Amino acid sequence: MIETGDLRKGQTLEIDGTLFQVLDFQHLKLGRGSAQVRLKLRGVADRDAAEALRGSLLLIDVADLPALPAGQHYRFELIGCVAFSAAGVRFGVVSEVWDTGAAHDVLVIAGDDGKQRLLPMVAALMREKDIAGQRIVFEDVAGLIDPP
């Protein structure tokens, strides 16, 4: 999800394989937790051209993202992290991060055994997150990794 803190005037974005320069942007709160970021892009001259880009994948160079405070990370940094139990047993790799719109995200773990696991990203269940080391350790809670 793009936040206005991720954007700056003059920044280059890629949308569906085409590069655009950000001329201006606005973050709008629409009510009920819904929000929208509106962009004014060089080369997008009118409303019809802008409408044609609605719903497109927008990419920002990682180097252009603002640095986060210690202990925080971007969701995409979790993808590829190896998942371990607190007992040290490797059970898979994070393949996706779902924004559920609820109190916590959900990690999709592609299991080494071929199973897919959905694990809530809550502090009580995550013993360790080492993003640089690509490692996440989950507490040993009965049924969390392998349902009974």
Side-chain angles (χ1 to χ4, degrees), residues 28 37 49 87-88 101 117 144 147:
L28 304 170
V37 176
R117 292 171 176 82
L144 180 66

Side-chain angles (χ1 to χ4, degrees), residues 26-41:
Q26 183 180 24
H27 188 247
L28 304 170
K29 294 195 184 277
L30 303 175
R32 290 194 218 154
S34 181
Q36 190 177 84
V37 176
R38 293 191 181 170
L39 301 170
K40 182 175 182 180
L41 303 170

Side-chain angles (χ1 to χ4, degrees), residues 38-137:
R38 293 191 181 170
L39 301 170
K40 182 175 182 180
L41 303 170
R42 183 177 312 283
V44 180
D46 58 32
R47 187 179 198 99
D48 290 336
E51 187 64 34
L53 296 173
R54 182 187 292 268
S56 296
L57 179 63
L58 185 149
L59 302 174
I60 298 174
D61 191 322
V62 172
D64 287 340
L65 291 172
L68 294 175
Q72 292 187 17
H73 56 274
Y74 288 101
R75 287 184 183 117
F76 73 86
E77 294 176 301
L78 296 168
I79 296 173
C81 285
V82 179
F84 291 89
S85 70
V89 177
R90 176 190 156 121
F91 62 90
V93 177
V94 177
S95 61
E96 296 179 62
V97 181
W98 291 352
D99 177 357
T100 64
H104 59 273
D105 292 341
V106 171
L107 297 178
V108 179
I109 310 292
D112 293 337
D113 58 3
K115 294 179 183 177
Q116 182 180 34
R117 292 171 176 82
L118 304 178
L119 298 179
M121 225 177 102
V122 294
L125 298 176
M126 299 179 79
R127 178 178 281 193
E128 174 189 342
K129 276 190 296 185
D130 177 4
I131 303 300
Q134 291 277 279
R135 175 184 172 91
I136 301 174
V137 179

